[in-house]
Amino acid sequence: MKKRTLLSTLFVCLVAGGFAAHAATITFYYTTLGSPDVFSNTYSTITGLGSPVGIGSTLQGADGIEDGPVVGGLRTLFFTGETDQTVFQIPVTGGSLVSSGNAGITAYLLTANPSDTTLYTFNNAGQVSTLTVTGAGLIAGAGTVHNVTGSDTNVSRITWGSNPAGPVYYITGGPGLNGDLGTIDPTTFITTRLDTNIATAEDAHYDPYTGLIVLFGQGQINTLNPTTGLLGTAISVPGGTCTGTLTTGDLDGLGHALITDCGTLSYIDFSATHNILTGAVTTIPGVFGGKDIEIFQSSTQSTPEPSTMGFALGGLALVAFRRFRRA
């Protein structure tokens, strides 16, 4: 009986340990106003925030940032120059710009289509520019300007859901401002409004871990179901709401997110709850001066998911039980 009790205790401990919160390290990239103005950094749930490394510079500061393709064996980033009409591309390791293109409009936030063949940039004032990305992964040249028509014209970002052929959603919010939400045709640029005057309309990213689009704005986050178009219930993140400051964030596709708001960087672990609105929020110490954040899934390192670890350890415990019974 003592051996059975010992094995039972071992089984419970192994399964419980498997479902506990797990360590994660995220490599992320962000833009700032200074020079250099594109940085890389890491955040570890064990050791905390790393040291920033400058990898790119513009003449006037940078704004939007988007993951780019592999060029010459190196992963690249696209980013926009603050208040100008240029989109830049640079290796994540830093160095010379691989390519740059004139967006045709004042370029703020950036979005790439699911196939990474087209970049979209927005002036939040009635125009969207598209820039072609070649098969070699480089910006092909200057952007083509498109006028937005329909329910809303001041589009500030668009994002796809899990289905590349499904609805494409837009938001219209600016720094510290409510905005509208709706669908947009990415070829005709006609918009159809679904909701209005929402706080989380400043930034938006699709999350493959949950199959939802996550919205960021004014110190809050929310989720959008890309199939039904329904919003969740927004929650606040540490930092508060700052006048003229953009709340942005990104996700690693493994149940973790980073959010910057009012000079505060926050980390959310929702790998166990499978819902970012009920995840554990950690405020990262120090002042964070980033504007827009980008995370590559390929540059994210994490231990197995809690459920995976739990099943694996539980399986080992069951094997031990079976061997004990046979003995």
Side-chain angles (χ1 to χ4, degrees):
M1 293 297 292
K2 290 183 179 179
K3 288 184 178 179
R4 289 178 182 272
T5 301
L6 178 62
L7 285 173
S8 298
T9 303
L10 175 63
F11 175 80
V12 172
C13 291
L14 285 172
V15 174
F19 281 91
H22 65 286
T25 298
I26 298 176
T27 299
F28 64 100
Y29 306 89
Y30 60 96
T31 57
T32 70
L33 271 175
S35 183
D37 41 44
V38 181
F39 291 84
S40 66
N41 206 338
T42 58
Y43 172 71
S44 166
T45 54
I46 297 175
T47 60
L49 189 64
S51 298
V53 177
I55 60 174
S57 297
T58 65
L59 296 177
Q60 66 291 307
D63 204 321
I65 190 168
E66 179 75 8
D67 60 278
V70 175
V71 177
L74 297 174
R75 201 73 190 258
T76 63
L77 290 164
F78 297 116
F79 64 96
T80 61
E82 172 73 17
T83 69
D84 76 359
Q85 298 185 355
T86 307
V87 177
F88 300 95
Q89 185 177 14
I90 197 167
V92 297
T93 52
S96 301
L97 296 178
V98 176
S99 176
S100 64
N102 188 323
I105 60 172
T106 299
Y108 296 125
L109 296 181
L110 272 172
T111 298
N113 65 347
S115 60
D116 286 327
T117 57
T118 305
L119 283 173
Y120 297 80
T121 189
F122 319 91
N123 67 358
N124 206 11
Q127 294 178 316
V128 173
S129 280
T130 56
L131 295 92
T132 300
V133 180
T134 69
L138 299 173
I139 302 174
T144 301
V145 179
H146 309 270
N147 292 319
V148 182
T149 60
S151 304
D152 289 299
T153 59
N154 57 322
V155 171
S156 58
R157 192 179 188 111
I158 64 175
T159 186
W160 281 255
S162 58
N163 181 7
V168 181
Y169 291 90
Y170 73 88
I171 51 177
T172 67
L177 299 174
N178 287 6
D180 296 342
L181 165 73
T183 59
I184 184 171
D185 186 319
T187 55
T188 64
F189 301 94
I190 298 174
T191 62
T192 302
R193 186 186 303 132
L194 299 177
D195 209 334
T196 188
N197 199 36
I198 62 174
T200 53
E202 296 180 8
D203 194 17
H205 294 275
Y206 173 68
D207 176 27
Y209 189 76
T210 60
L212 301 175
I213 293 171
V214 180
L215 303 172
F216 307 86
Q218 300 186 78
Q220 301 178 57
I221 59 174
N222 203 349
T223 56
L224 170 70
N225 187 314
T227 302
T228 64
L230 295 178
L231 286 168
T233 300
I235 65 168
S236 297
V237 295
T241 302
C242 303
T243 302
T245 299
L246 192 69
T247 297
T248 65
D250 204 4
L251 312 105
D252 68 355
L254 297 172
H256 314 106
L258 290 173
I259 302 98
T260 177
D261 173 59
C262 298
T264 298
L265 185 65
S266 299
Y267 166 77
I268 299 183
D269 184 346
F270 57 102
S271 57
T273 67
H274 221 81
N275 181 352
I276 192 171
L277 303 181
T278 60
V281 182
T282 300
T283 302
I284 301 171
V287 177
F288 183 72
K291 296 176 62 179
D292 197 13
I293 295 178
E294 181 63 37
I295 301 173
F296 287 98
Q297 285 190 38
S298 60
S299 65
T300 302
Q301 300 168 351
S302 176
T303 56
E305 292 299 323
S307 57
T308 304
M309 184 67 76
F311 284 122
L313 292 174
L316 291 174
L318 287 174
V319 170
F321 271 120
R322 289 176 180 174
R323 289 185 176 177
F324 172 78
R325 293 184 65 184
R326 289 176 183 174

